[in-house]
Amino acid sequence: MTWTRACSAADLVPDTPLGAVVDGVPVCLVRTGGEVFAVHDECTHEAVRLSEGDVADGVIECWRHGSCFDLRTGAVLNLPAVRSVAVYPVREVAHDVQVNVHDAPGSTSTRDTP
Ligand code: FES
């Protein structure tokens, strides 16, 4: 696994998404419920940043049309998006948040529309 620093742990305000670029990949970081999650920072419906959305109950809601994605699995929970978003392994080490964007199991970041 290749871990890369994404941000400082102190940068993650609970339930407030933070966009970062990790090894050239846009990542949306979220601290919620005592855990940290990292998902691809692009909605699978259209090319907008999920990090500009809202977080509640382990879900991030796309600000544009309201599709919600499970932060733990990346699963899409409602239309109009129909594809899951990629989730990335994330960990806190000392004062840093590290993400591995090279290992996103079982998910895709492909958008629904070209
Ligand atoms: S762009 Fe995200 S739901 Fe449409």
XYZ file of all heavy atoms in Angstrom:
849
model
N 0.829 -1.195 0.000
C 0.000 0.000 0.000
C 0.866 1.249 0.000
O 1.901 1.294 0.617
C -0.899 0.045 1.230
C -2.107 -0.847 1.148
S -3.390 -0.239 2.261
C -4.703 -1.361 1.830
N 0.392 2.219 -0.720
C 1.091 3.492 -0.784
C 0.250 4.543 -0.068
O -0.804 4.950 -0.553
C 1.306 3.921 -2.250
O 2.038 2.908 -2.915
C 2.054 5.234 -2.315
N 0.713 4.950 1.073
C -0.005 5.948 1.851
C 0.580 7.322 1.560
O 1.797 7.483 1.535
C 0.100 5.652 3.343
C -0.593 4.385 3.739
C -0.015 3.169 3.961
C -1.995 4.218 3.965
N -0.974 2.254 4.299
C -2.207 2.865 4.316
C -3.086 5.065 3.888
C -3.461 2.356 4.598
C -4.347 4.560 4.172
C -4.530 3.224 4.523
N -0.286 8.287 1.348
C 0.146 9.651 1.077
C -0.593 10.590 2.013
O -1.809 10.458 2.213
C -0.173 10.031 -0.383
O 0.475 9.100 -1.250
C 0.297 11.443 -0.696
N 0.132 11.562 2.556
C -0.497 12.546 3.423
C -1.520 13.355 2.626
O -1.207 13.872 1.546
C 0.553 13.479 4.014
C -0.017 14.497 4.983
C 1.058 15.478 5.443
N 0.548 16.392 6.448
C -0.140 17.499 6.193
N -0.387 17.829 4.940
N -0.567 18.274 7.181
N -2.734 13.449 3.153
C -3.787 14.224 2.491
C -3.996 15.574 3.156
O -4.272 16.568 2.490
C -5.096 13.446 2.495
N -3.906 15.586 4.484
C -4.096 16.831 5.222
C -3.693 16.595 6.666
O -3.347 15.476 7.054
C -5.562 17.297 5.145
S -6.734 16.207 5.991
N -3.766 17.642 7.435
C -3.553 17.515 8.865
C -4.835 16.991 9.515
O -5.949 17.344 9.099
C -3.194 18.880 9.459
O -3.269 18.833 10.862
N -4.713 16.177 10.524
C -5.900 15.668 11.225
C -6.733 16.818 11.773
O -7.965 16.737 11.817
C -5.467 14.727 12.348
N -6.066 17.887 12.157
C -6.778 19.038 12.712
C -7.601 19.777 11.665
O -8.495 20.558 12.007
C -5.775 19.997 13.355
N -7.314 19.523 10.374
C -8.065 20.186 9.306
C -9.468 19.625 9.150
O -10.320 20.249 8.512
C -7.338 20.038 7.969
C -6.035 20.809 7.916
O -5.873 21.753 8.715
O -5.178 20.458 7.088
N -9.698 18.423 9.673
C -10.986 17.756 9.472
C -11.953 18.112 10.596
O -11.911 17.562 11.689
C -10.799 16.244 9.408
C -10.164 15.704 8.123
C -10.099 14.179 8.161
C -10.921 16.183 6.898
N -12.852 19.009 10.285
C -13.908 19.398 11.214
C -15.033 18.369 11.084
O -15.435 18.023 9.967
C -14.434 20.810 10.861
C -15.587 21.198 11.761
C -13.296 21.812 10.921
N -15.544 17.835 12.196
C -16.580 16.806 12.103
C -17.755 17.228 11.221
O -18.257 18.354 11.316
C -17.017 16.624 13.564
C -15.788 16.963 14.349
C -15.142 18.093 13.589
N -18.154 16.285 10.349
C -19.306 16.436 9.453
C -19.165 17.574 8.444
O -20.157 18.060 7.906
C -20.598 16.608 10.259
C -20.893 15.395 11.130
O -20.624 14.272 10.678
O -21.373 15.587 12.259
N -17.928 17.972 8.201
C -17.647 19.012 7.210
C -16.663 18.455 6.180
O -15.491 18.256 6.494
C -17.046 20.266 7.881
O -17.949 20.730 8.880
C -16.804 21.355 6.863
N -17.121 18.181 4.962
C -16.231 17.590 3.960
C -15.066 18.511 3.620
O -15.204 19.732 3.639
C -17.142 17.404 2.736
C -18.539 17.517 3.232
C -18.477 18.399 4.446
N -13.942 17.890 3.291
C -12.746 18.627 2.889
C -12.211 18.004 1.607
O -11.950 16.795 1.557
C -11.682 18.553 3.985
C -10.351 19.228 3.665
C -10.510 20.739 3.624
C -9.290 18.827 4.670
N -12.048 18.818 0.581
C -11.470 18.336 -0.668
C -9.954 18.416 -0.620
O -9.390 19.374 -0.107
N -9.308 17.397 -1.172
C -7.847 17.377 -1.240
C -7.452 16.650 -2.523
O -8.251 15.906 -3.097
C -7.257 16.666 -0.026
N -6.230 16.885 -2.949
C -5.698 16.146 -4.097
C -4.564 15.275 -3.577
O -3.613 15.764 -2.970
C -5.198 17.099 -5.197
C -4.573 16.297 -6.335
C -6.346 17.960 -5.715
N -4.718 13.968 -3.788
C -3.753 13.003 -3.271
C -3.161 12.231 -4.450
O -3.890 11.519 -5.154
C -4.437 12.034 -2.283
C -3.427 11.015 -1.758
C -5.083 12.795 -1.137
N -1.881 12.396 -4.665
C -1.209 11.756 -5.804
C -1.967 12.030 -7.104
O -2.143 11.133 -7.945
C -1.060 10.254 -5.572
C -0.077 9.935 -4.454
O 0.692 10.841 -4.055
O -0.097 8.794 -3.962
N -2.470 13.246 -7.252
C -3.163 13.652 -8.462
C -4.628 13.272 -8.522
O -5.303 13.554 -9.508
N -5.136 12.638 -7.469
C -6.522 12.169 -7.442
C -7.336 13.053 -6.495
O -6.937 13.248 -5.339
C -6.588 10.705 -6.963
C -8.033 10.236 -6.842
C -5.808 9.804 -7.903
N -8.489 13.583 -6.948
C -9.328 14.376 -6.051
C -10.033 13.478 -5.032
O -10.686 12.506 -5.401
C -10.330 15.044 -6.996
C -10.393 14.144 -8.179
C -9.044 13.495 -8.306
N -9.879 13.830 -3.771
C -10.415 13.018 -2.677
C -11.247 13.913 -1.761
O -10.852 15.037 -1.448
C -9.274 12.353 -1.875
C -9.822 11.600 -0.673
C -8.481 11.412 -2.771
N -12.383 13.398 -1.356
C -13.243 14.065 -0.382
C -13.064 13.359 0.952
O -13.361 12.165 1.079
C -14.699 13.973 -0.849
S -15.901 14.512 0.385
N -12.565 14.099 1.932
C -12.310 13.552 3.262
C -13.406 14.010 4.216
O -13.816 15.176 4.191
C -10.960 14.041 3.777
C -9.764 13.579 2.948
C -8.606 14.525 3.127
C -9.390 12.161 3.330
N -13.860 13.077 5.056
C -14.923 13.402 6.004
C -14.626 12.738 7.343
O -14.355 11.540 7.410
C -16.296 12.908 5.501
C -17.379 13.205 6.533
C -16.651 13.541 4.163
N -14.689 13.543 8.402
C -14.652 12.990 9.758
C -16.087 13.021 10.284
O -16.714 14.087 10.368
C -13.756 13.826 10.669
C -13.658 13.258 12.096
C -12.948 14.209 13.033
N -11.588 14.525 12.634
C -10.544 13.723 12.821
N -10.699 12.558 13.389
N -9.329 14.108 12.434
N -16.587 11.838 10.628
C -17.947 11.771 11.148
C -18.099 10.529 12.015
O -17.489 9.477 11.737
C -18.987 11.768 9.992
O -20.299 11.869 10.546
C -18.884 10.522 9.135
N -18.867 10.637 13.064
C -19.087 9.507 13.944
C -17.814 8.933 14.529
O -17.743 7.730 14.806
N -16.784 9.759 14.692
C -15.535 9.291 15.272
C -14.623 8.579 14.293
O -13.571 8.059 14.694
N -14.989 8.533 13.019
C -14.155 7.890 12.002
C -13.854 8.877 10.888
O -14.535 9.895 10.739
C -14.872 6.675 11.397
C -15.128 5.546 12.379
C -15.777 4.354 11.683
O -15.081 3.644 10.947
O -16.996 4.170 11.870
N -12.846 8.531 10.095
C -12.507 9.338 8.925
C -12.737 8.492 7.670
O -12.365 7.314 7.628
C -11.043 9.828 8.986
C -10.681 10.599 7.716
C -10.830 10.702 10.211
N -13.328 9.107 6.662
C -13.616 8.423 5.403
C -13.024 9.226 4.254
O -12.880 10.450 4.334
C -15.132 8.284 5.199
C -15.806 7.492 6.282
C -16.381 8.145 7.372
C -15.836 6.110 6.231
C -16.994 7.413 8.382
C -16.443 5.373 7.244
C -17.026 6.028 8.322
N -12.720 8.496 3.178
C -12.204 9.139 1.966
C -12.914 8.537 0.765
O -12.897 7.321 0.567
C -10.698 8.929 1.852
N -13.561 9.391 -0.016
C -14.214 8.951 -1.249
C -13.721 9.825 -2.387
O -13.212 10.932 -2.174
C -15.760 9.021 -1.155
C -16.275 8.156 -0.008
C -16.248 10.454 -1.003
N -13.893 9.326 -3.597
C -13.505 10.115 -4.769
C -14.310 11.405 -4.780
O -15.523 11.385 -4.561
C -13.753 9.309 -6.041
C -13.079 9.874 -7.230
N -11.706 9.826 -7.405
C -13.567 10.510 -8.324
C -11.393 10.405 -8.544
N -12.499 10.840 -9.126
N -13.618 12.506 -5.040
C -14.277 13.806 -4.923
C -14.927 14.222 -6.231
O -14.664 15.308 -6.766
C -13.290 14.865 -4.446
C -14.001 16.119 -3.967
O -15.244 16.092 -3.836
O -13.308 17.122 -3.721
N -15.768 13.341 -6.752
C -16.557 13.686 -7.929
C -17.815 12.830 -7.917
O -17.745 11.608 -7.801
C -15.761 13.436 -9.204
C -16.519 13.870 -10.455
C -15.692 13.684 -11.713
O -15.716 12.596 -12.289
O -15.003 14.638 -12.101
N -18.939 13.487 -8.047
C -20.202 12.761 -8.121
C -20.188 11.847 -9.339
O -19.593 12.177 -10.363
C -21.357 13.752 -8.211
S -22.982 12.964 -8.174
N -20.860 10.708 -9.242
C -20.908 9.801 -10.395
C -22.012 10.186 -11.371
O -22.159 9.562 -12.412
C -21.128 8.352 -9.932
O -22.360 8.272 -9.204
C -19.971 7.884 -9.065
N -22.779 11.198 -11.048
C -23.826 11.668 -11.960
C -23.265 12.713 -12.916
O -23.397 12.586 -14.127
C -25.006 12.233 -11.154
C -26.133 12.702 -12.009
N -26.714 13.945 -11.850
C -26.789 12.104 -13.031
C -27.685 14.071 -12.752
N -27.754 12.980 -13.465
N -22.660 13.740 -12.384
C -22.006 14.758 -13.188
C -20.732 15.170 -12.471
O -20.533 14.869 -11.294
C -22.918 15.974 -13.391
C -24.118 15.678 -14.277
C -25.006 16.891 -14.485
O -24.707 17.980 -13.963
O -26.030 16.742 -15.179
N -19.899 15.896 -13.185
C -18.582 16.237 -12.657
C -18.644 17.419 -11.694
O -18.211 18.528 -12.021
C -17.624 16.528 -13.804
N -19.184 17.167 -10.523
C -19.170 18.170 -9.466
C -18.552 17.548 -8.217
O -18.559 16.337 -8.047
C -20.583 18.712 -9.148
C -21.217 19.301 -10.394
C -21.460 17.643 -8.565
N -18.024 18.405 -7.367
C -17.281 17.923 -6.203
C -18.224 17.522 -5.074
O -19.032 18.337 -4.616
C -16.321 19.008 -5.724
C -15.269 19.349 -6.749
C -14.391 20.469 -6.276
N -13.675 20.045 -5.068
C -12.815 20.817 -4.427
N -12.556 22.017 -4.859
N -12.224 20.368 -3.344
N -18.067 16.302 -4.601
C -18.853 15.863 -3.443
C -18.437 16.613 -2.185
O -19.235 16.752 -1.250
C -18.703 14.354 -3.230
C -19.393 13.471 -4.273
C -19.075 11.997 -4.003
C -20.901 13.703 -4.268
N -17.213 17.100 -2.145
C -16.732 17.800 -0.951
C -17.467 19.118 -0.727
O -17.297 19.751 0.314
C -15.225 18.041 -1.022
O -14.897 18.811 -2.167
N -18.282 19.525 -1.686
C -19.107 20.716 -1.493
C -20.515 20.348 -1.027
O -21.392 21.215 -0.930
C -19.155 21.519 -2.794
C -17.781 22.050 -3.187
C -17.769 22.757 -4.530
O -18.844 22.959 -5.113
O -16.674 23.100 -4.989
N -20.729 19.066 -0.750
C -22.034 18.588 -0.299
C -22.163 18.577 1.212
O -21.314 19.099 1.932
N -23.245 17.971 1.656
C -23.547 17.912 3.092
C -23.386 16.486 3.608
O -23.631 15.514 2.882
C -24.980 18.376 3.350
C -25.178 19.843 3.015
O -24.266 20.646 3.316
O -26.229 20.182 2.451
N -23.031 16.381 4.894
C -22.825 15.076 5.542
C -23.810 14.915 6.690
O -24.023 15.838 7.486
C -21.385 14.965 6.083
C -21.227 13.715 6.949
C -20.388 14.945 4.938
N -24.432 13.731 6.747
C -25.287 13.378 7.881
C -25.431 11.868 7.948
O -25.573 11.204 6.910
C -26.673 14.032 7.737
N -25.344 11.310 9.133
C -25.588 9.888 9.365
C -24.760 8.979 8.455
O -25.272 7.992 7.910
C -27.082 9.576 9.182
C -27.949 10.360 10.164
O -27.506 10.561 11.310
O -29.059 10.777 9.773
N -23.493 9.309 8.289
C -22.611 8.455 7.494
C -22.821 8.536 6.004
O -22.353 7.668 5.256
N -23.506 9.577 5.558
C -23.847 9.737 4.145
C -23.418 11.128 3.699
O -23.542 12.093 4.455
C -25.373 9.564 3.950
C -25.812 10.007 2.565
C -25.769 8.109 4.204
N -22.930 11.212 2.448
C -22.682 12.527 1.866
C -23.665 12.744 0.730
O -23.894 11.848 -0.088
C -21.212 12.685 1.394
C -20.958 14.142 0.991
C -20.844 11.708 0.282
C -19.480 14.511 0.933
N -24.257 13.937 0.715
C -25.268 14.277 -0.279
C -24.676 15.241 -1.294
O -24.132 16.294 -0.923
C -26.478 14.920 0.390
C -27.563 15.327 -0.600
C -28.763 15.973 0.075
O -28.697 16.242 1.284
O -29.768 16.209 -0.623
N -24.788 14.883 -2.557
C -24.320 15.763 -3.621
C -25.159 17.041 -3.611
O -26.399 16.985 -3.582
C -24.425 15.072 -4.977
S -23.912 16.123 -6.348
N -24.478 18.176 -3.684
C -25.169 19.460 -3.582
C -25.999 19.774 -4.820
O -26.940 20.568 -4.759
C -24.160 20.582 -3.353
C -23.155 20.719 -4.460
C -21.945 20.082 -4.550
C -23.279 21.501 -5.648
N -21.314 20.425 -5.714
C -22.099 21.301 -6.411
C -24.255 22.357 -6.152
C -21.882 21.911 -7.636
C -24.037 22.972 -7.376
C -22.863 22.747 -8.107
N -25.673 19.117 -5.941
C -26.308 19.565 -7.188
C -27.705 18.975 -7.388
O -28.649 19.715 -7.644
C -25.420 19.222 -8.386
C -25.983 19.752 -9.674
C -24.936 20.216 -10.597
N -25.529 20.914 -11.732
C -24.927 21.098 -12.873
N -23.705 20.660 -13.030
N -25.521 21.743 -13.834
N -27.829 17.638 -7.309
C -29.143 17.027 -7.546
C -29.593 16.138 -6.394
O -30.640 15.512 -6.485
C -29.148 16.201 -8.831
C -28.776 16.981 -10.056
N -27.653 16.703 -10.805
C -29.371 18.061 -10.630
C -27.574 17.560 -11.820
N -28.594 18.404 -11.728
N -28.793 16.019 -5.367
C -29.252 15.353 -4.158
C -28.990 13.871 -4.028
O -29.468 13.251 -3.073
N -28.232 13.270 -4.941
C -27.885 11.861 -4.724
C -27.022 11.738 -3.475
O -26.173 12.580 -3.204
C -27.125 11.289 -5.930
O -28.011 11.020 -6.980
N -27.256 10.649 -2.732
C -26.507 10.406 -1.511
C -25.630 9.181 -1.671
O -26.004 8.206 -2.329
C -27.471 10.202 -0.341
S -28.404 11.685 0.081
N -24.466 9.224 -1.029
C -23.509 8.127 -1.105
C -23.087 7.736 0.316
O -22.792 8.602 1.147
C -22.264 8.559 -1.894
C -22.557 8.954 -3.319
C -22.918 10.261 -3.621
C -22.502 8.027 -4.342
C -23.199 10.646 -4.933
C -22.784 8.393 -5.662
C -23.132 9.701 -5.955
N -23.071 6.409 0.547
C -22.610 5.876 1.826
C -21.106 6.109 1.929
O -20.348 5.654 1.059
C -22.938 4.381 1.887
C -22.623 3.775 3.231
O -21.467 3.915 3.697
O -23.515 3.141 3.816
N -20.666 6.796 2.959
C -19.249 7.116 3.078
C -18.392 5.879 3.334
O -17.214 5.852 2.998
C -19.036 8.126 4.209
C -19.476 9.555 3.887
C -19.564 10.382 5.163
C -18.504 10.196 2.887
N -18.973 4.839 3.912
C -18.186 3.645 4.236
C -17.987 2.754 3.004
O -16.918 2.197 2.794
C -18.881 2.847 5.345
C -18.076 1.679 5.874
C -18.794 0.999 7.037
N -19.118 1.922 8.104
C -18.285 2.302 9.060
N -17.064 1.814 9.074
N -18.673 3.144 9.996
N -19.037 2.642 2.180
C -18.980 1.716 1.045
C -18.928 2.409 -0.303
O -18.592 1.787 -1.311
C -20.212 0.794 1.051
O -21.384 1.600 0.807
C -20.351 0.075 2.391
N -19.317 3.677 -0.350
C -19.407 4.394 -1.607
C -20.712 4.146 -2.347
O -20.951 4.726 -3.400
N -21.574 3.289 -1.812
C -22.819 2.931 -2.495
C -23.704 4.148 -2.693
O -23.866 4.968 -1.787
C -23.569 1.872 -1.685
N -24.282 4.232 -3.900
C -25.246 5.302 -4.165
C -26.583 4.884 -3.565
O -27.007 3.731 -3.677
C -25.343 5.609 -5.677
C -25.840 4.408 -6.473
C -26.231 6.825 -5.914
N -27.264 5.820 -2.935
C -28.481 5.497 -2.194
C -29.745 6.005 -2.861
O -30.847 5.573 -2.496
C -28.376 6.061 -0.770
C -27.165 5.573 0.034
C -27.110 6.250 1.388
C -27.195 4.056 0.183
N -29.610 6.926 -3.802
C -30.808 7.426 -4.490
C -30.430 8.089 -5.810
O -29.292 8.496 -6.014
C -31.586 8.404 -3.595
C -30.774 9.601 -3.203
O -29.857 9.494 -2.383
N -31.060 10.741 -3.803
N -31.400 8.167 -6.676
C -31.230 8.810 -7.975
C -31.005 10.313 -7.795
O -31.343 10.832 -6.743
C -32.480 8.564 -8.824
C -32.757 7.105 -9.166
C -34.128 6.969 -9.807
C -31.676 6.547 -10.074
N -30.448 10.985 -8.809
C -30.268 10.508 -10.176
C -28.988 9.709 -10.430
O -28.887 9.041 -11.446
C -30.262 11.799 -10.995
C -29.714 12.818 -10.060
C -30.243 12.448 -8.708
N -27.987 9.786 -9.569
C -26.795 8.962 -9.759
C -27.171 7.493 -9.603
O -28.052 7.154 -8.791
C -25.717 9.350 -8.756
N -26.514 6.630 -10.363
C -26.796 5.199 -10.272
C -25.537 4.382 -9.993
O -25.628 3.180 -9.785
C -27.480 4.674 -11.559
C -28.854 5.312 -11.725
C -26.625 4.902 -12.781
N -24.381 5.021 -10.000
C -23.135 4.294 -9.753
C -22.531 4.704 -8.415
O -22.608 5.868 -8.015
C -22.114 4.582 -10.855
C -22.517 4.073 -12.213
C -21.450 4.474 -13.229
N -21.901 4.262 -14.584
C -21.668 3.147 -15.270
N -20.968 2.183 -14.728
N -22.117 3.021 -16.493
N -21.896 3.736 -7.794
C -21.192 4.000 -6.544
C -19.990 4.896 -6.803
O -19.477 4.966 -7.916
C -20.725 2.695 -5.912
O -21.817 1.872 -5.625
N -19.545 5.539 -5.756
C -18.331 6.346 -5.841
C -17.185 5.549 -5.220
O -17.404 4.734 -4.311
C -18.539 7.701 -5.114
C -18.655 7.533 -3.609
C -17.443 8.686 -5.476
N -15.984 5.751 -5.732
C -14.827 5.033 -5.200
C -14.555 5.439 -3.754
O -14.666 6.615 -3.401
C -13.594 5.313 -6.057
N -14.229 4.456 -2.948
C -13.797 4.729 -1.578
C -12.324 4.347 -1.467
O -11.877 3.395 -2.099
C -14.636 3.961 -0.536
C -16.071 4.436 -0.530
C -14.582 2.470 -0.790
N -11.595 5.096 -0.668
C -10.166 4.860 -0.532
C -9.821 4.544 0.914
O -10.411 5.127 1.838
C -9.381 6.103 -0.967
C -9.638 6.521 -2.393
C -10.276 7.728 -2.666
C -9.247 5.715 -3.451
C -10.529 8.114 -3.974
C -9.490 6.100 -4.764
C -10.132 7.298 -5.018
O -10.386 7.678 -6.310
N -8.839 3.646 1.114
C -8.361 3.417 2.474
C -7.801 4.709 3.058
O -7.101 5.456 2.364
C -7.254 2.368 2.285
C -7.573 1.706 0.977
C -8.171 2.802 0.126
N -8.121 4.960 4.304
C -7.667 6.188 4.956
C -7.264 5.851 6.382
O -7.828 4.937 6.998
C -8.779 7.269 4.908
C -10.045 6.802 5.584
C -8.307 8.586 5.477
N -6.278 6.558 6.901
C -5.842 6.328 8.273
C -5.283 7.620 8.844
O -4.863 8.526 8.103
C -4.781 5.225 8.333
C -3.467 5.597 7.683
C -2.470 4.458 7.737
N -1.168 4.874 7.213
C -0.108 4.077 7.089
N -0.197 2.798 7.422
N 1.039 4.537 6.626
N -5.292 7.691 10.147
C -4.662 8.812 10.842
C -3.361 8.319 11.460
O -3.357 7.307 12.164
C -5.577 9.370 11.926
C -6.776 10.119 11.364
C -7.597 10.810 12.447
O -7.204 11.906 12.882
O -8.623 10.217 12.850
N -2.294 9.013 11.170
C -0.986 8.683 11.718
C -0.431 9.955 12.340
O -0.212 10.948 11.646
C -0.030 8.158 10.631
C 1.352 7.894 11.219
C -0.589 6.897 9.990
N -0.240 9.876 13.654
C 0.187 11.061 14.399
C -0.781 12.205 14.127
O -1.967 12.074 14.376
C 1.631 11.431 14.062
N -0.309 13.277 13.522
C -1.171 14.439 13.279
C -1.622 14.541 11.831
O -2.148 15.570 11.419
C -0.448 15.719 13.698
C -0.048 15.726 15.139
N -0.973 15.762 16.162
C 1.171 15.665 15.726
C -0.336 15.738 17.331
N 0.964 15.672 17.094
N -1.401 13.478 11.070
C -1.731 13.511 9.641
C -2.851 12.543 9.296
O -3.050 11.520 9.950
C -0.497 13.125 8.811
C 0.582 14.187 8.853
O 0.248 15.356 9.154
O 1.748 13.844 8.590
N -3.563 12.878 8.222
C -4.516 11.954 7.599
C -3.869 11.469 6.310
O -3.432 12.270 5.478
C -5.859 12.648 7.294
C -6.790 11.700 6.536
C -6.506 13.122 8.590
N -3.781 10.153 6.176
C -3.151 9.565 5.005
C -4.186 8.753 4.222
O -5.060 8.121 4.799
C -1.995 8.646 5.414
C -0.893 9.362 6.166
C 0.224 8.414 6.601
O 0.040 7.200 6.616
N 1.363 8.985 6.951
N -4.061 8.790 2.900
C -4.988 8.081 2.016
C -4.177 7.251 1.029
O -3.102 7.655 0.590
C -5.891 9.085 1.260
C -6.822 8.357 0.297
C -6.697 9.929 2.238
N -4.720 6.107 0.669
C -4.143 5.292 -0.394
C -5.092 5.329 -1.588
O -6.102 4.626 -1.601
C -3.934 3.860 0.097
C -3.412 2.963 -1.000
O -3.105 3.419 -2.102
N -3.308 1.686 -0.704
N -4.771 6.145 -2.571
C -5.647 6.267 -3.741
C -5.368 5.193 -4.775
O -6.037 5.138 -5.813
C -5.523 7.663 -4.400
C -6.032 8.749 -3.474
C -4.104 7.923 -4.860
N -4.400 4.353 -4.498
C -4.036 3.308 -5.459
C -4.756 2.001 -5.178
O -4.571 1.024 -5.884
C -2.526 3.106 -5.435
C -1.774 4.387 -5.648
N -1.687 5.008 -6.875
C -1.131 5.208 -4.765
C -0.992 6.134 -6.754
N -0.655 6.282 -5.488
N -5.577 1.975 -4.131
C -6.260 0.742 -3.740
C -7.689 1.087 -3.337
O -7.975 1.389 -2.189
C -5.523 0.095 -2.567
C -6.166 -1.218 -2.158
O -6.973 -1.759 -2.938
O -5.873 -1.689 -1.049
N -8.592 1.069 -4.331
C -10.000 1.394 -4.084
C -10.841 0.161 -4.367
O -11.305 -0.051 -5.476
C -10.441 2.554 -4.961
N -11.028 -0.704 -3.380
C -11.678 -1.994 -3.624
C -13.154 -1.873 -3.977
O -13.913 -1.161 -3.336
C -11.506 -2.716 -2.283
C -11.368 -1.627 -1.281
C -10.675 -0.499 -1.989
N -13.539 -2.583 -5.013
C -14.948 -2.812 -5.317
C -15.778 -1.597 -5.633
O -16.958 -1.580 -5.358
N -15.200 -0.584 -6.212
C -16.000 0.593 -6.511
C -15.477 1.260 -7.764
O -14.437 0.926 -8.286
C -15.978 1.562 -5.329
O -14.650 1.878 -5.020
N -16.230 2.215 -8.226
C -15.842 2.915 -9.446
C -16.136 4.387 -9.289
O -17.006 4.771 -8.533
C -16.619 2.374 -10.660
O -16.253 3.151 -11.794
C -18.132 2.465 -10.445
N -15.401 5.177 -9.998
C -15.666 6.610 -9.976
C -16.184 7.083 -11.330
O -16.242 8.255 -11.607
C -14.405 7.381 -9.595
O -13.397 7.134 -10.530
N -16.594 6.138 -12.159
C -17.079 6.498 -13.485
C -18.395 7.256 -13.377
O -19.284 6.876 -12.652
C -17.304 5.225 -14.324
O -16.088 4.492 -14.350
C -17.736 5.568 -15.733
N -18.504 8.329 -14.136
C -19.753 9.093 -14.125
C -20.804 8.405 -14.967
O -20.518 7.615 -15.849
C -19.491 10.505 -14.663
C -18.697 11.357 -13.717
C -18.804 12.820 -14.117
N -18.486 13.051 -15.502
C -17.253 13.296 -15.955
N -16.272 13.323 -15.112
N -17.055 13.515 -17.230
N -22.076 8.765 -14.718
C -23.182 8.176 -15.451
C -23.316 8.754 -16.854
O -23.805 8.114 -17.761
C -24.498 8.415 -14.702
C -24.460 7.814 -13.330
O -23.778 6.781 -13.168
O -25.086 8.375 -12.425
N -22.896 9.992 -17.010
C -23.039 10.654 -18.298
C -21.671 11.035 -18.822
O -20.767 11.308 -18.040
C -23.892 11.923 -18.155
O -23.341 12.734 -17.125
C -25.328 11.569 -17.815
N -21.492 11.033 -20.128
C -20.176 11.352 -20.686
C -19.776 12.787 -20.470
O -20.583 13.629 -20.202
C -20.320 11.049 -22.181
C -21.761 10.888 -22.441
C -22.458 10.705 -21.123
S -24.353 15.962 -10.037
Fe -24.483 14.806 -8.196
S -26.520 14.098 -8.179
Fe -26.368 15.181 -10.055
